[in-house]
Amino acid sequence: MAEEPGAAFPLDANGRDAAEIPHHVAIIMDGNGRWAEDKGLPRLEGHRAGVEKIRSVLDALARRRVKFVTIYAFSTENWNRPDDEVEGIMSILRDVIHQETRALHEQGVRVVHLGRSDRLLPDLREAVSQAQDLTQHNTAITLCVAFDYGGRSEIVEAVRQIVRSGAKPEEVDEKLLSSHLYTHDIPDPDLIIRTGGEYRLSNFLLWQSAYSEFYTTTVPWPELSATHVEEAICAYGRRKRKFGALTPDP
Ligand code: IPE
Ligand code: IPE
Ligand code: MG
């Protein structure tokens, strides 16, 4: 990414970050519309400012050696918004793919789409598919973009695939179901950050978030800074993850 890991982030004797670093950070990028409205701007300006923010947050996480970042950009329920907002968001996404894919590729970012493709307009679907194909072998960091994504719809689709495959009931287990999710080759998120002040998942990574740590901030997404990201990572470092057992995970 743009900057090398800095001295602000001490390493231990093995060259790892001294503090506990989440391997996968997933972000519910909320608060764009209210941020714009508070400034007397159209909501779409909030979405534009929100997209601008992605790069700097991704850089901040990459500097902390986070290997997987998922951003929630458009939910299956966001189609229920007014047509002009939905069309505006689609057009912003189309622009950002065209403008950013080459630079992301050069920085070793693998881009993965999580969500339905069938409801996207053909040119957007094609752009998403080309971005994935171009970056598929990159290894610096994986950026999952949850777009037309819903956790319930993802699980329903996985179940449909399993039923179609003719699997026997006793063959269906958590591993099999996970292998049919959009995230089949992505580890579960360790930390989920929600900006914009709400305390809910809004249909985000329902299956995968079973043991994720949750962090919310009232800061709207367009105002999230590297310092805010650092606060979230530090909060994560203080959590004791037990996964149902009595002692923290070693
Ligand atoms: C999140 O910001 C982005 C999308 C859901 C597309 P919002 O548009 O939900 O912003 P608020 O919550 O109305 O402020
Ligand atoms: C969640 O935000 C979806 C995204 C950030 C893309 P929403 O604004 O759609 O969620 P609710 O409606 O407040 O639950
Ligand atoms: Mg919202």
Side-chain angles (χ1 to χ4, degrees):
M1 305 303 297
E3 278 182 57
E4 284 301 303
F9 307 131
L11 304 181
D12 69 11
N14 299 315
R16 292 181 312 229
D17 288 274
E20 183 71 27
I21 298 298
H23 193 54
H24 180 178
V25 175
I27 308 176
I28 303 173
M29 308 186 293
D30 196 25
N32 294 349
R34 282 165 286 162
W35 176 86
E37 284 163 3
D38 284 350
K39 292 184 162 357
L41 298 169
R43 290 177 58 85
L44 273 182
E45 289 307 315
H47 296 308
R48 273 196 198 96
V51 161
E52 296 287 318
K53 183 55 57 174
I54 294 170
R55 170 49 65 99
S56 63
V57 171
L58 184 64
D59 286 352
L61 291 168
R63 283 200 297 279
R64 285 299 241 148
R65 298 194 181 80
V66 171
K67 294 301 282 182
F68 295 84
V69 175
T70 297
I71 50 174
Y72 199 11
F74 192 85
S75 74
T76 47
E77 289 71 37
N78 287 147
W79 292 104
N80 297 325
R81 296 191 178 194
D83 289 350
D84 58 345
E85 181 162 344
V86 170
E87 281 160 24
I89 292 171
M90 296 294 155
S91 147
I92 291 168
L93 181 73
R94 193 180 301 110
D95 291 350
V96 80
I97 292 177
H98 287 305
Q99 286 158 17
E100 295 291 332
T101 301
R102 176 61 49 189
L104 289 171
H105 181 48
E106 282 165 9
Q107 290 173 316
V109 180
R110 173 169 73 125
V111 179
V112 175
H113 171 226
L114 309 181
R116 292 179 60 166
S117 310
D118 57 304
R119 301 192 287 193
L120 306 182
L121 286 173
D123 61 334
L124 181 53
R125 195 182 316 141
E126 183 58 24
V128 169
S129 156
Q130 282 178 3
Q132 290 197 112
D133 290 350
L134 177 70
T135 63
Q136 62 183 319
H137 299 301
N138 291 341
T139 55
I141 191 166
T142 297
L143 174 65
C144 303
V145 182
F147 197 89
D148 199 4
Y149 174 87
R152 288 184 172 182
S153 145
E154 177 183 38
I155 293 167
V156 167
E157 184 52 33
V159 171
R160 282 188 183 149
Q161 287 176 15
I162 292 169
V163 171
R164 265 189 231 116
S165 75
K168 297 193 185 75
E170 55 277 17
E171 288 168 349
V172 179
D173 57 12
E174 293 181 13
K175 190 161 170 249
L176 182 71
L177 201 136
S178 296
S179 74
H180 286 273
L181 299 175
Y182 303 126
T183 51
H184 57 89
D185 63 345
I186 309 285
D188 287 347
D190 300 293
L191 171 64
I192 296 180
I193 300 172
R194 181 164 187 149
T195 63
E198 310 290 357
Y199 289 77
R200 52 180 175 255
L201 282 172
S202 301
N203 207 6
F204 187 47
L205 299 178
L206 297 182
W207 173 277
Q208 300 86 342
S209 64
Y211 275 100
S212 304
E213 297 296 324
F214 196 54
Y215 179 91
T216 60
T217 169
T218 53
V219 176
W221 171 252
E223 280 182 11
L224 201 79
S225 66
T227 308
H228 294 129
V229 172
E230 193 56 25
E231 280 166 14
I233 302 266
C234 288
Y236 173 83
R238 292 191 294 272
R239 304 279 175 90
K240 300 218 180 320
R241 304 185 74 185
K242 298 195 292 181
F243 299 94
L246 293 182
T247 49
D249 197 40

